[in-house]
Amino acid sequence: MATSSRKFRLGLSGALSLGLVAPAGAASYGAGIENSQWYLAESVFECTLVHQVPGYGKAVFRHRAGEQLTFFLESESPLMRPGRGDLVVEAPVWRPGVAPRPLGKVSISDGNRPLLLDSRQSMAVVQGLLAGMRPTVTRESWFDGRPVRVQVSNINFTPQFHSYQACTANLLPVNYDQVQRSRIPFASGSTSLSARDREVLDDIVAFVLADPTIERVFVDGHSDRLGSRIDNRALSEQRANAVADYLKARGVAEDLITVRAHGDQYPVSRRPADNRRTNIRLQRQGERPELQQANGYGGESAG
């Protein structure tokens, strides 16, 4: 019995040191001075700053190319009941007397990523950490309704955040989801690229040159149904070539580019302006090429 009691005391002491047990019936999770670390993963595609929350999971700042900063919690098991939780920044225990500052209500969802904050709220969390505070999310537990508190430690945050900022300054202008499928519109009878079109293509070029897993760039020219089918086929080819030539001139390898001309065969709308276009589709290694479908106004060729 004495041995069991001693093991219980040791286990409780360890749990308290990790922040797994809190007063007043709350289950609290957070790193202490001895185990608070932040880890940076950086590339031109994404910058991620990860903090391990002992007993709970992870707190993550994420900035993808072409998007804004987000913050989320990732749990090893769903501990919080879905609904509205509270987000505050509060002083660590070694700074008594500093009043907590509410940041508002937050949505807690089901699954292993219960909290996702937008850019504004994410920056509020950043400012709290830089000020030496501990952002804390509180919500009822799934199991017994007691509060679950997840604390994000500010210890060792500031130097890693400065490195994180340097990473975000070097991000590409767009991410894969944003450029995997792109569309260049054309005026009636035109094959000319506008300044805006060149900006779109420049973003595609920047991504393709940075991502060695891109194995194919499909360039598909289309036309409306005004005029003869032969003329429309030639016009769609000229539009596709105008885009492909621009990509090649900017550095995309010719052997990556597949040019196809479809004329007026695959309309996507009853509006002629919507059908005067060249589509660009990127394909990465390991991605299964999509089947081509073209069923009148509801379909479009792969690309």
Side-chain angles (χ1 to χ4, degrees):
M1 180 67 68
T3 300
S4 298
S5 177
R6 181 172 179 272
K7 286 182 178 179
F8 173 78
R9 289 196 301 271
L10 288 173
L12 179 59
S13 174
L16 284 169
S17 70
L18 293 177
L20 303 184
V21 178
S28 186
Y29 302 87
I33 296 176
E34 73 288 349
N35 62 348
S36 176
Q37 296 294 332
W38 289 87
Y39 302 95
L40 175 63
E42 54 186 320
S43 72
V44 295
F45 306 107
E46 181 177 308
C47 305
T48 306
L49 198 53
V50 180
H51 172 62
Q52 296 289 339
V53 181
Y56 180 81
K58 300 175 183 177
V60 181
F61 289 100
R62 185 188 192 196
H63 193 149
R64 293 185 72 200
E67 297 181 3
Q68 294 184 314
L69 172 69
T70 59
F71 172 82
F72 59 87
L73 293 178
E74 194 168 272
S75 62
E76 296 165 353
S77 58
L79 299 179
M80 294 181 178
R81 185 187 304 276
R84 301 290 283 173
D86 294 298
L87 175 62
V88 302
V89 289
E90 55 190 24
V93 293
W94 55 88
R95 294 179 61 187
V98 179
R101 180 166 58 90
L103 295 182
K105 293 289 186 178
V106 292
S107 296
I108 304 299
S109 61
D110 199 1
N112 292 334
R113 190 170 290 181
L115 175 71
L116 175 63
L117 301 183
D118 61 21
S119 179
R120 182 187 62 82
Q121 290 177 309
S122 297
M123 282 307 303
V125 173
V126 167
Q127 294 304 317
L129 290 167
L130 292 175
M133 304 287 275
R134 299 184 68 164
T136 303
V137 179
T138 305
R139 173 63 185 161
E140 294 178 0
S141 75
W142 257 115
F143 309 104
D144 54 16
R146 293 188 306 159
V148 173
R149 288 164 42 87
V150 179
Q151 298 177 320
V152 183
S153 174
N154 66 292
I155 299 172
N156 298 316
F157 174 77
T158 300
Q160 286 287 51
F161 183 72
H162 291 329
S163 298
Y164 175 85
Q165 288 179 303
C167 173
T168 61
N170 294 315
L171 286 171
L172 293 171
V174 289
N175 61 56
Y176 185 62
D177 294 338
Q178 293 169 332
V179 295
Q180 183 183 13
R181 289 180 176 274
S182 303
R183 176 181 178 274
I184 301 297
F186 288 90
S188 179
S190 173
T191 61
S192 299
L193 300 175
S194 68
R196 174 56 186 155
D197 296 336
R198 292 184 175 89
E199 290 177 3
V200 171
L201 295 176
D202 285 343
D203 286 345
I204 294 173
V205 170
F207 191 90
V208 171
L209 296 182
D211 188 349
T213 68
I214 300 296
E215 65 176 9
R216 187 67 55 199
V217 179
F218 293 100
V219 179
D220 289 85
H222 299 269
S223 73
D224 58 33
R225 287 183 167 171
L226 304 177
S228 72
R229 177 153 289 186
I230 294 176
D231 290 342
N232 288 339
R233 172 67 170 72
L235 185 59
S236 70
E237 184 174 10
Q238 293 169 13
R239 288 169 173 165
N241 284 331
V243 169
D245 289 345
Y246 188 89
L247 296 177
K248 288 184 282 189
R250 292 293 183 174
V252 177
E254 185 173 357
D255 59 359
L256 286 181
I257 300 174
T258 298
V259 177
R260 301 179 293 196
H262 305 286
D264 56 17
Q265 189 176 2
Y266 300 120
V268 293
S269 169
R270 295 183 184 275
R271 296 180 65 248
D274 294 336
N275 298 318
R276 299 191 293 263
R277 70 203 190 277
T278 291
N279 294 336
I280 303 101
R281 180 170 65 85
L282 308 184
Q283 181 178 298
R284 278 175 162 164
Q285 295 170 3
E287 289 181 343
R288 185 176 179 180
E290 298 177 6
L291 296 177
Q292 294 190 19
Q293 292 184 345
N295 299 316
Y297 293 104
E300 183 178 357
S301 66

